[in-house]
PDB file of all heavy atoms in Angstrom:
ATOM      1  N   PRO R 185     -26.024 -12.843  11.041  1.00 97.00           N
ATOM      2  CA  PRO R 185     -26.189 -14.302  11.230  1.00 97.00           C
ATOM      3  C   PRO R 185     -24.934 -14.878  11.914  1.00 97.00           C
ATOM      4  O   PRO R 185     -23.801 -14.493  11.611  1.00 97.00           O
ATOM      5  CB  PRO R 185     -26.348 -14.830   9.809  1.00 97.00           C
ATOM      6  CG  PRO R 185     -26.970 -13.694   9.079  1.00 97.00           C
ATOM      7  CD  PRO R 185     -26.370 -12.448   9.667  1.00 97.00           C
ATOM      8  N   GLN R 186     -25.154 -15.804  12.830  1.00 96.00           N
ATOM      9  CA  GLN R 186     -24.063 -16.312  13.664  1.00 96.00           C
ATOM     10  C   GLN R 186     -22.882 -16.864  12.866  1.00 96.00           C
ATOM     11  O   GLN R 186     -21.719 -16.579  13.207  1.00 96.00           O
ATOM     12  CB  GLN R 186     -24.587 -17.356  14.642  1.00 96.00           C
ATOM     13  CG  GLN R 186     -23.546 -17.751  15.680  1.00 96.00           C
ATOM     14  CD  GLN R 186     -24.166 -18.586  16.802  1.00 96.00           C
ATOM     15  OE1 GLN R 186     -25.352 -18.881  16.787  1.00 96.00           O
ATOM     16  NE2 GLN R 186     -23.349 -18.936  17.797  1.00 96.00           N
ATOM     17  N   PRO R 187     -23.089 -17.644  11.781  1.00 97.00           N
ATOM     18  CA  PRO R 187     -21.927 -18.127  11.031  1.00 97.00           C
ATOM     19  C   PRO R 187     -21.067 -17.014  10.447  1.00 97.00           C
ATOM     20  O   PRO R 187     -19.843 -17.039  10.519  1.00 97.00           O
ATOM     21  CB  PRO R 187     -22.558 -18.966   9.920  1.00 97.00           C
ATOM     22  CG  PRO R 187     -23.880 -19.394  10.463  1.00 97.00           C
ATOM     23  CD  PRO R 187     -24.338 -18.222  11.292  1.00 97.00           C
ATOM     24  N   ALA R 188     -21.751 -15.983   9.907  1.00 97.00           N
ATOM     25  CA  ALA R 188     -21.010 -14.856   9.350  1.00 97.00           C
ATOM     26  C   ALA R 188     -20.325 -14.046  10.443  1.00 97.00           C
ATOM     27  O   ALA R 188     -19.203 -13.563  10.264  1.00 97.00           O
ATOM     28  CB  ALA R 188     -21.956 -13.961   8.547  1.00 97.00           C
ATOM     29  N   ALA R 189     -20.987 -13.897  11.563  1.00 97.00           N
ATOM     30  CA  ALA R 189     -20.407 -13.153  12.689  1.00 97.00           C
ATOM     31  C   ALA R 189     -19.176 -13.882  13.246  1.00 97.00           C
ATOM     32  O   ALA R 189     -18.143 -13.268  13.572  1.00 97.00           O
ATOM     33  CB  ALA R 189     -21.422 -12.940  13.796  1.00 97.00           C
ATOM     34  N   ALA R 190     -19.280 -15.209  13.334  1.00 96.00           N
ATOM     35  CA  ALA R 190     -18.141 -16.000  13.823  1.00 96.00           C
ATOM     36  C   ALA R 190     -16.963 -15.908  12.859  1.00 96.00           C
ATOM     37  O   ALA R 190     -15.797 -15.823  13.274  1.00 96.00           O
ATOM     38  CB  ALA R 190     -18.567 -17.453  14.002  1.00 96.00           C
ATOM     39  N   GLN R 191     -17.234 -15.896  11.573  1.00 96.00           N
ATOM     40  CA  GLN R 191     -16.189 -15.782  10.580  1.00 96.00           C
ATOM     41  C   GLN R 191     -15.513 -14.416  10.655  1.00 96.00           C
ATOM     42  O   GLN R 191     -14.285 -14.307  10.548  1.00 96.00           O
ATOM     43  CB  GLN R 191     -16.754 -16.002   9.181  1.00 96.00           C
ATOM     44  CG  GLN R 191     -15.708 -15.998   8.068  1.00 96.00           C
ATOM     45  CD  GLN R 191     -16.325 -16.303   6.706  1.00 96.00           C
ATOM     46  OE1 GLN R 191     -17.523 -16.493   6.584  1.00 96.00           O
ATOM     47  NE2 GLN R 191     -15.491 -16.358   5.697  1.00 96.00           N
ATOM     48  N   ALA R 192     -16.322 -13.379  10.836  1.00 96.00           N
ATOM     49  CA  ALA R 192     -15.753 -12.034  10.958  1.00 96.00           C
ATOM     50  C   ALA R 192     -14.904 -11.903  12.208  1.00 96.00           C
ATOM     51  O   ALA R 192     -13.859 -11.238  12.210  1.00 96.00           O
ATOM     52  CB  ALA R 192     -16.882 -10.998  10.999  1.00 96.00           C
ATOM     53  N   LEU R 193     -15.334 -12.527  13.304  1.00 95.00           N
ATOM     54  CA  LEU R 193     -14.556 -12.497  14.544  1.00 95.00           C
ATOM     55  C   LEU R 193     -13.224 -13.243  14.400  1.00 95.00           C
ATOM     56  O   LEU R 193     -12.191 -12.780  14.875  1.00 95.00           O
ATOM     57  CB  LEU R 193     -15.380 -13.097  15.679  1.00 95.00           C
ATOM     58  CG  LEU R 193     -14.757 -13.074  17.078  1.00 95.00           C
ATOM     59  CD1 LEU R 193     -14.444 -11.641  17.507  1.00 95.00           C
ATOM     60  CD2 LEU R 193     -15.679 -13.744  18.078  1.00 95.00           C
ATOM     61  N   THR R 194     -13.254 -14.351  13.687  1.00 94.00           N
ATOM     62  CA  THR R 194     -12.009 -15.113  13.446  1.00 94.00           C
ATOM     63  C   THR R 194     -11.039 -14.292  12.589  1.00 94.00           C
ATOM     64  O   THR R 194      -9.831 -14.239  12.847  1.00 94.00           O
ATOM     65  CB  THR R 194     -12.334 -16.429  12.738  1.00 94.00           C
ATOM     66  OG1 THR R 194     -13.190 -17.207  13.567  1.00 94.00           O
ATOM     67  CG2 THR R 194     -11.063 -17.222  12.455  1.00 94.00           C
ATOM     68  N   ALA R 195     -11.576 -13.630  11.559  1.00 94.00           N
ATOM     69  CA  ALA R 195     -10.706 -12.811  10.698  1.00 94.00           C
ATOM     70  C   ALA R 195     -10.129 -11.628  11.473  1.00 94.00           C
ATOM     71  O   ALA R 195      -9.003 -11.202  11.207  1.00 94.00           O
ATOM     72  CB  ALA R 195     -11.517 -12.308   9.501  1.00 94.00           C
ATOM     73  N   LEU R 196     -10.902 -11.111  12.427  1.00 93.00           N
ATOM     74  CA  LEU R 196     -10.430  -9.949  13.202  1.00 93.00           C
ATOM     75  C   LEU R 196      -9.264 -10.312  14.092  1.00 93.00           C
ATOM     76  O   LEU R 196      -8.334  -9.524  14.285  1.00 93.00           O
ATOM     77  CB  LEU R 196     -11.594  -9.433  14.064  1.00 93.00           C
ATOM     78  CG  LEU R 196     -11.298  -8.194  14.922  1.00 93.00           C
ATOM     79  CD1 LEU R 196     -11.041  -6.971  14.055  1.00 93.00           C
ATOM     80  CD2 LEU R 196     -12.474  -7.919  15.862  1.00 93.00           C
ATOM     81  N   THR R 197      -9.277 -11.503  14.648  1.00 86.00           N
ATOM     82  CA  THR R 197      -8.243 -11.917  15.615  1.00 86.00           C
ATOM     83  C   THR R 197      -7.136 -12.753  14.989  1.00 86.00           C
ATOM     84  O   THR R 197      -6.176 -13.108  15.667  1.00 86.00           O
ATOM     85  CB  THR R 197      -8.879 -12.731  16.754  1.00 86.00           C
ATOM     86  OG1 THR R 197      -9.569 -13.856  16.203  1.00 86.00           O
ATOM     87  CG2 THR R 197      -9.874 -11.860  17.524  1.00 86.00           C
ATOM     88  N   ALA R 198      -7.257 -13.091  13.693  1.00 84.00           N
ATOM     89  CA  ALA R 198      -6.252 -13.936  13.044  1.00 84.00           C
ATOM     90  C   ALA R 198      -4.966 -13.149  12.816  1.00 84.00           C
ATOM     91  O   ALA R 198      -5.005 -11.966  12.517  1.00 84.00           O
ATOM     92  CB  ALA R 198      -6.784 -14.482  11.723  1.00 84.00           C
ATOM     93  N   PRO R 199      -3.796 -13.796  12.948  1.00 70.00           N
ATOM     94  CA  PRO R 199      -2.510 -13.133  12.660  1.00 70.00           C
ATOM     95  C   PRO R 199      -2.446 -12.710  11.202  1.00 70.00           C
ATOM     96  O   PRO R 199      -2.972 -13.401  10.317  1.00 70.00           O
ATOM     97  CB  PRO R 199      -1.456 -14.220  12.972  1.00 70.00           C
ATOM     98  CG  PRO R 199      -2.159 -15.180  13.860  1.00 70.00           C
ATOM     99  CD  PRO R 199      -3.602 -15.176  13.425  1.00 70.00           C
ATOM    100  N   ARG R 200      -1.783 -11.603  10.936  1.00 64.00           N
ATOM    101  CA  ARG R 200      -1.624 -11.098   9.581  1.00 64.00           C
ATOM    102  C   ARG R 200      -0.165 -11.091   9.178  1.00 64.00           C
ATOM    103  O   ARG R 200       0.707 -11.110  10.036  1.00 64.00           O
ATOM    104  CB  ARG R 200      -2.202  -9.681   9.486  1.00 64.00           C
ATOM    105  CG  ARG R 200      -3.678  -9.623   9.863  1.00 64.00           C
ATOM    106  CD  ARG R 200      -4.185  -8.206   9.875  1.00 64.00           C
ATOM    107  NE  ARG R 200      -5.558  -8.125  10.375  1.00 64.00           N
ATOM    108  CZ  ARG R 200      -6.212  -6.982  10.550  1.00 64.00           C
ATOM    109  NH1 ARG R 200      -5.601  -5.825  10.310  1.00 64.00           N
ATOM    110  NH2 ARG R 200      -7.457  -6.981  10.975  1.00 64.00           N
ATOM    111  N   PRO R 201       0.147 -11.065   7.869  1.00 61.00           N
ATOM    112  CA  PRO R 201       1.559 -11.051   7.419  1.00 61.00           C
ATOM    113  C   PRO R 201       2.281  -9.877   7.997  1.00 61.00           C
ATOM    114  O   PRO R 201       1.781  -8.740   8.002  1.00 61.00           O
ATOM    115  CB  PRO R 201       1.439 -10.959   5.895  1.00 61.00           C
ATOM    116  CG  PRO R 201       0.092 -11.513   5.588  1.00 61.00           C
ATOM    117  CD  PRO R 201      -0.790 -11.114   6.732  1.00 61.00           C
ATOM    118  N   SER R 202       3.487 -10.103   8.508  1.00 56.00           N
ATOM    119  CA  SER R 202       4.298  -9.039   9.090  1.00 56.00           C
ATOM    120  C   SER R 202       5.103  -8.335   8.014  1.00 56.00           C
ATOM    121  O   SER R 202       5.213  -8.796   6.888  1.00 56.00           O
ATOM    122  CB  SER R 202       5.220  -9.609  10.161  1.00 56.00           C
ATOM    123  OG  SER R 202       6.119 -10.517   9.587  1.00 56.00           O
TER     124      SER R 202
END
Side-chain angles (χ1 to χ4, degrees):
Q186 189 169 2
Q191 184 177 1
L193 184 59
T194 300
L196 181 67
T197 57
R200 301 175 186 176
S202 63

